[in-house]
């Protein structure tokens, strides 16, 4: 980009954002050193005008969230920070959703819903830091995916500013084409997200002697399809880092009203694969660490490996990652999202 063209872009941005246009500094350590500028829009209209400017000058836009996605910033791009777009509108009694702007964190939404006995159908394990726009743009599996699947399947609608500045309302099956691990087709400026009753969730946990028995239990639960809300796994290194049992651990949660239907199949799947159901106190402790290693107070560690595998492939995946600290999320489709970390030191 020539100096004259760069100056024109910055002038156009300043007309929209004023002092909310910043030039990234090398000292920021954000991975954004090659960006042209960063801006902080305050509403959807400013995002729409920004998209018009970017399209006119052929400059890429890069939504820069909480730093949980670990994407490289394209050189010469404009970073879009949604710190000023964090509003949340609580649902009315008749509405099975909550509405949020892209800069709100998923944990903020959970805390907003809790007084009403509600929760999100699905939210990321990085909820303390991940923003609505950031995780939704990439789609994903998270807490609640055993019952509800991918996050894109739990969006009522999303407002997206497209390349060129068109504001589009995405709904239904169309949502799946807007969001993917490679990123969204536009900039998300708002979303309505499905909710659930969450005032009587019951955590559970079980330990297993090896990866094969744990994987067998996962397959057994996929076949039995008990009414679990969430199902996840830890290898011994990750369980140890969480101050949990030093073994392979399977854990999750379900609605108390499902306990009668669930107790037999759950215990059967665990014990038939040489597992041991942990007591309530241990289950609550494991559940309480479901966001680990993410915390608001320190940067999120980047996984050394990220694998999306079929449940039947789980033993091979865990064997390959046996020298790392591993955690996984099981989806209702039978897919398991496995994250592996090299060092536990950065997570303590």
């Amino acid at each position: 980009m020539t100096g004259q063209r760069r100056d024109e872009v910055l002038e156009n941005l300043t007309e929209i954002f004023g002092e909310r246009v910043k030039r990234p500094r090398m000292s920021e350590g954000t991975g954004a050193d090659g960006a042209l500028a960063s801006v902080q829009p305050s509403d959807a209209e400013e995002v729409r005008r920004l998209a018009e400017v970017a399209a006119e000058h052929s400059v890429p836009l890069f939504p820069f969230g909480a730093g949980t996605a670990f994407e490289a910033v394209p050189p010469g791009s404009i970073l879009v920070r949604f710190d000023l777009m964090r509003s949340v509108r609580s649902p009315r009694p008749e509405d099975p959703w909550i509405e949020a702007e892209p800069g709100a964190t998923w944990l903020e939404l959970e805390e907003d819903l809790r007084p009403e006995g509600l929760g999100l159908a699905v939210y990321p394990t990085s909820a303390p830091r991940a923003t609505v726009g950031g995780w939704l743009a990439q789609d994903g599996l998270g807490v609640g995916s055993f019952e509800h699947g991918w996050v894109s399947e739990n969006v009522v609608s999303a407002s997206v500013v497209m390349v060129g500045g068109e504001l589009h309302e995405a709904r239904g099956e169309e949502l799946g084409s807007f969001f993917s691990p490679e990123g969204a087709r536009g900039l998300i400026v708002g979303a309505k997200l499905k909710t659930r009753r969450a005032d009587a969730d019951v955590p559970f946990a079980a330990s297993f002697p090896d990866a094969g028995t744990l994987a067998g239990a996962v397959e057994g639960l996929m076949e039995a399809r008990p009414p679990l809300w969430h199902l996840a796994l830890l290898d011994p290194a990750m369980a140890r880092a969480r101050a949990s049992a030093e073994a392979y651990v399977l854990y999750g949660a379900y609605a108390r009203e499902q306990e009668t239907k669930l107790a037999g199949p759950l215990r059967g799947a665990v014990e038939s694969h040489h597992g041991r159901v942990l007591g309530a106190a241990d289950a609550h402790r494991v559940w309480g660490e479901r966001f680990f290693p993410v915390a608001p107070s320190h940067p999120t560690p980047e996984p050394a490996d990220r694998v999306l595998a079929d449940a039947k492939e789980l033993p091979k995946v865990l064997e390959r990652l046996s020298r790392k600290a591993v955690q996984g999320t099981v989806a209702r489709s039978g897919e398991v999202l496995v994250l592996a970390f090299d060092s536990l030191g950065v997570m303590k």
Side-chain angles (χ1 to χ4, degrees):
M1 178 182 294
T2 65
Q4 180 180 352
R5 186 178 169 204
R6 181 173 58 250
D7 291 342
E8 289 177 0
V9 174
L10 291 172
E11 182 178 347
N12 290 160
L13 295 179
T14 302
E15 290 176 359
I16 301 172
F17 300 101
E19 294 182 353
R20 287 175 285 137
V21 179
K22 303 292 183 185
R23 295 293 301 272
R25 296 191 303 268
M26 296 292 288
S27 59
E28 286 182 349
T30 60
D33 298 338
L36 173 64
S38 69
V39 298
Q40 291 190 349
S42 62
D43 55 34
E45 174 59 19
E46 287 190 344
V47 178
R48 193 193 64 76
R49 293 175 63 192
L50 168 65
E52 289 179 340
V53 170
E56 180 183 350
H57 295 280
S58 300
V59 178
L61 296 176
F62 186 86
F64 201 79
T68 61
F70 310 107
E71 293 180 90
V73 177
S77 60
I78 300 171
L79 305 182
V80 189
R81 307 195 70 120
F82 289 104
D83 306 67
L84 302 180
M85 296 180 65
R86 301 176 62 116
S87 68
V88 175
R89 192 172 79 180
S90 300
R92 297 171 297 182
E94 66 271 22
D95 293 336
W97 65 74
I98 186 170
E99 193 168 358
E101 290 188 319
T105 68
W106 293 85
L107 191 58
E108 287 173 337
L109 270 62
E110 276 287 289
E111 291 173 345
D112 188 86
L113 290 166
R114 188 176 298 124
E116 305 300 322
L118 299 173
L120 293 163
V122 176
Y123 58 82
T125 55
S126 55
R129 287 182 60 88
T131 60
V132 169
W135 195 57
L136 180 56
Q138 293 194 314
D139 209 349
L141 298 174
V143 179
S145 286
F146 189 82
E147 179 178 356
H148 296 287
W150 293 78
V151 64
S152 61
E153 300 176 76
N154 296 277
V155 180
V156 177
S157 64
S159 300
V160 184
V161 172
M162 307 298 291
V163 174
E166 176 193 357
L167 180 60
H168 183 77
E169 194 77 8
R171 297 177 179 273
E173 295 182 0
E174 181 186 24
L175 287 161
S177 67
F178 268 80
F179 314 125
S180 74
E182 288 74 39
R185 285 169 52 191
L187 294 176
I188 298 166
V189 293
K192 290 182 178 178
L193 306 163
K194 293 180 182 178
T195 61
R196 60 184 285 271
R197 295 303 312 180
D199 50 356
D201 286 341
V202 178
F204 79 91
S207 62
F208 295 85
D210 52 52
T213 54
L214 177 139
V218 171
E219 285 195 59
L221 289 170
M222 292 303 306
E223 292 175 3
R225 293 288 178 175
L228 285 171
W229 174 51
H230 182 57
L231 184 65
L233 59 93
L234 311 171
D235 77 343
M238 183 61 79
R240 183 166 55 251
R242 294 186 181 198
S244 181
E246 293 197 22
Y248 286 89
V249 173
L250 197 62
Y251 75 96
Y254 56 87
R256 188 177 299 278
E257 63 188 31
Q258 301 288 356
E259 195 156 20
T260 302
K261 297 179 184 178
L262 188 65
L266 182 58
R267 183 172 290 275
V270 171
E271 295 182 348
S272 65
H273 291 89
H274 308 287
R276 179 174 66 89
V277 176
L278 302 181
D282 289 330
H284 277 85
R285 184 168 63 251
V286 175
W287 179 250
E289 292 288 329
R290 65 191 178 280
F291 299 132
F292 186 88
V294 177
S297 58
H298 59 71
T300 302
E302 182 174 1
D305 285 279
R306 179 187 178 96
V307 181
L308 183 64
D310 187 271
K312 295 180 180 180
E313 301 170 354
L314 193 54
K316 292 182 180 179
V317 172
L318 293 176
E319 181 180 358
R320 179 169 69 82
L321 301 175
S322 61
R323 294 184 179 276
K324 305 180 188 296
V326 174
Q327 59 188 31
T329 300
V330 185
R332 66 181 179 184
S333 59
E335 297 167 298
V336 184
L337 177 61
V338 179
L339 302 180
F341 299 85
D342 277 327
S343 172
L344 297 178
V346 297
M347 298 188 285
K348 294 181 180 178

